[in-house]
Amino acid sequence: MEFETKAVHMGEEPDLERGSGDVVVPIHLSSTFARKKVNEPTQGYEYSRTGNPTREALEKRLAALEDASFGLAFASGMAAESTLAITLLHTGDHVLAFDDLYGGTRRLFNRILDPHFKVEVTYADARDLRRTKEAIRSNTRLIWLESPTNPLMKICDIAAIAEIAREANIPVVVDNTFLSPYFQKPLRLGAKVVVHSSTKYLNGHSDSVGGAVMLSDEDLYRQLKFNQNAMGAILSPFDSFLVLRGIKTLAVRMREHERNALRLAGYLEGHPKVRKVNYPGLKSHPQHALANRQATGHGGMLSFEIKGGLEEAKRFLESVRLFALAESLGGVESLIEHPALMTHASVPKEIREQGGLTDSLIRVSVGIEHIDDLIADFDRAFQKIG
Ligand SMILES: Cc1ncc(COP(=O)(O)O)c(C=O)c1O
């Protein structure tokens, strides 16, 4: 079955035998499920934290999108990441992570895992395979990647790193939030687990916070499922319905996001007030060829450096009208933000600047509005900064 078909149908087949034939899965709000016999839960359901039919419909669809055997839906991307970390790591373990990650992931590693569980994390430039290999230690139990990274849009070679990790028997987790499974399938490239903030492209309408984990290793799935139930980080039935609905248009939306992002990136690249544009779909992106090889598209996220500094960036951000000045990404509406002051404010300034996350960097989540309106909004904002 092709991606678009799975996105519409998987997990939501009408039940003509036992149900009423709903074409859309019902939102099962019940927190508990009645049974006839003490030790026989009805159709396997007992309590909604443990299992809920609406959430399970979504989990089936999530798995199908990443060509995985199993999917799990969490209360947020960070809930998914925390559950994964607690499941895969123990005191004294070491994590090797890409040095340009979502700020909240770094916060989880540095402020929770390290101080509370004595899990040490090394950040390496995963674009450099030799350095990545050298950073592996005898106690490395996890390699954590994003590609493209948030917000600098760096690309790492997932298959090559997965191969290095396989030799050392270390699981690779890829945060696939930015490209979504429509454009990139990390499990096919050798990753063990894929994680998403479903808040972003999977849901796609900026009206639900959620997370997802997809994988094919059955033992690890069972541990994660046990831990998710034990720790409670589940997605609500209503949010499960919203994400199920959002995913139906994922392919259509991603194509439009990419089309607009490519046009906007080209416009910015030619603009005299822009120093640099980070978008893997541009030929000028240092890993354009790798991006073309490991993904089927480049998505709707880009970042750029405005000429000047913090003042110019702030003035630009406060001058746009159509783009909402807001954190998050992946919705149909265009968003714009300042990573250093907003999404990545929890990353210490010297670490931000070492990696190129400067005060003049602006991140854009390009929506699916008409591109002419988006460019006109930027034109107006550039004129305002003088
Ligand atoms: C790449 C990436 N991963 C994970 C997260 C965390 O997801 P959530 O906000 O749903 O907890 C985000 C949030 O912005 C993100 O951008």
Side-chain angles (χ1 to χ4, degrees):
M1 204 185 279
E2 296 300 325
F3 188 91
E4 287 81 349
T5 317
K6 289 194 242 180
V8 172
H9 291 288
M10 283 303 278
E12 226 170 1
E13 301 86 358
D15 184 350
L16 299 173
E17 302 305 321
R18 289 175 305 190
S20 51
D22 305 75
V23 170
V24 173
V25 78
I27 306 172
H28 290 266
L29 291 172
S30 195
S31 57
T32 189
F33 300 90
R35 56 179 88 186
K36 277 191 189 150
K37 298 220 165 115
V38 172
N39 54 359
E40 277 180 32
T42 310
Q43 290 177 39
Y45 296 109
E46 42 194 66
Y47 184 64
S48 266
R49 169 160 40 76
T50 317
N52 173 280
T54 317
R55 192 168 83 239
E56 281 179 13
L58 170 62
E59 290 175 336
K60 209 167 157 191
R61 181 164 304 166
L62 290 171
L65 295 182
E66 290 280 7
D67 290 344
S69 304
F70 308 102
L72 285 165
F74 287 86
S76 67
M78 291 319 300
E81 293 190 19
S82 312
T83 307
L84 254 178
I86 298 260
T87 307
L88 290 168
L89 299 167
H90 298 91
T91 300
D93 286 350
H94 171 252
V95 177
L96 174 56
F98 204 161
D99 63 1
D100 182 37
L101 294 180
Y102 168 58
T105 305
R106 230 178 219 269
R107 183 173 52 202
L108 170 68
F109 289 157
N110 294 352
R111 306 281 295 274
I112 311 275
L113 294 183
D114 185 341
H116 293 278
F117 299 97
K118 303 280 172 266
V119 168
E120 210 186 325
V121 186
T122 304
Y123 297 96
D125 184 345
R127 292 173 300 178
D128 183 332
L129 289 178
R130 190 181 51 81
R131 269 206 250 163
T132 304
K133 196 168 181 174
E134 281 169 8
I136 292 177
R137 301 185 190 163
S138 58
N139 61 339
T140 305
R141 296 285 175 269
L142 173 61
I143 297 182
W144 191 283
L145 305 173
E146 269 179 40
S147 187
T149 58
N150 180 1
L152 290 164
M153 308 302 295
K154 296 179 190 169
I155 309 278
C156 66
D157 188 334
I158 297 172
I161 296 173
E163 183 54 28
I164 294 169
R166 200 184 53 77
E167 285 163 14
N169 202 19
I170 303 166
V172 172
V173 172
V174 176
D175 183 334
N176 202 24
T177 301
F178 264 35
L179 284 186
S180 91
Y182 180 67
F183 283 134
Q184 179 168 269
K185 296 211 175 48
L187 297 181
R188 278 197 201 160
L189 298 168
K192 180 112 171 162
V193 181
V194 169
V195 64
H196 281 271
S197 167
S198 63
T199 316
K200 313 295 169 7
Y201 289 107
L202 293 179
N203 180 55
H205 294 76
S206 307
D207 52 10
S208 161
V209 172
V213 165
M214 294 84 140
L215 73 169
S216 291
D217 180 317
E218 186 162 358
D219 287 343
L220 181 55
Y221 165 72
R222 293 205 180 285
Q223 287 171 41
L224 282 165
K225 174 102 183 124
F226 177 89
N227 289 353
Q228 183 192 36
N229 181 47
M231 295 193 286
I234 49 143
L235 192 66
S236 77
F238 188 72
D239 286 284
S240 298
F241 156 75
L242 285 175
V243 182
L244 266 167
R245 186 166 72 162
I247 287 174
K248 289 177 194 179
T249 55
L250 180 63
V252 184
R253 285 186 281 109
M254 291 314 292
R255 290 195 285 261
E256 289 302 306
H257 282 297
E258 184 186 44
R259 206 157 65 110
N260 278 354
L262 199 54
R263 285 277 307 278
L264 194 66
Y267 158 84
L268 286 168
E269 202 169 38
H271 201 285
K273 289 183 182 149
V274 172
R275 191 179 302 126
K276 188 173 177 220
V277 183
N278 305 308
Y279 182 64
L282 290 177
K283 288 202 179 71
S284 58
H285 189 284
Q287 292 135 319
H288 179 63
L290 171 60
N292 277 339
R293 207 165 61 236
Q294 77 179 6
T296 54
H298 307 291
M301 293 302 298
L302 61 86
S303 59
F304 68 96
E305 273 180 46
I306 198 161
K307 281 190 184 158
L310 185 59
E311 274 322 301
E312 285 73 12
K314 270 188 175 167
R315 249 186 289 147
F316 183 83
L317 287 159
E318 290 169 7
S319 300
V320 288
R321 286 197 223 133
L322 199 53
F323 285 79
L325 176 53
E327 301 201 1
S328 201
L329 59 109
V332 290
E333 57 291 292
S334 292
L335 303 178
I336 194 159
E337 66 112 8
H338 190 264
L341 293 180
M342 295 170 70
T343 46
H344 291 66
S346 61
V347 180
K349 190 172 166 64
E350 65 281 5
I351 294 186
R352 279 202 310 262
E353 293 192 342
Q354 265 166 29
L357 202 163
T358 62
D359 283 349
S360 50
L361 189 78
I362 290 173
R363 190 189 78 177
V364 186
S365 171
V366 187
I368 63 168
E369 302 93 337
H370 197 289
I371 186 62
D372 292 349
D373 292 325
L374 299 180
I375 289 177
D377 199 29
F378 268 23
D379 261 341
R380 217 173 16 240
F382 276 125
Q383 276 162 27
K384 281 228 170 133
I385 65 169

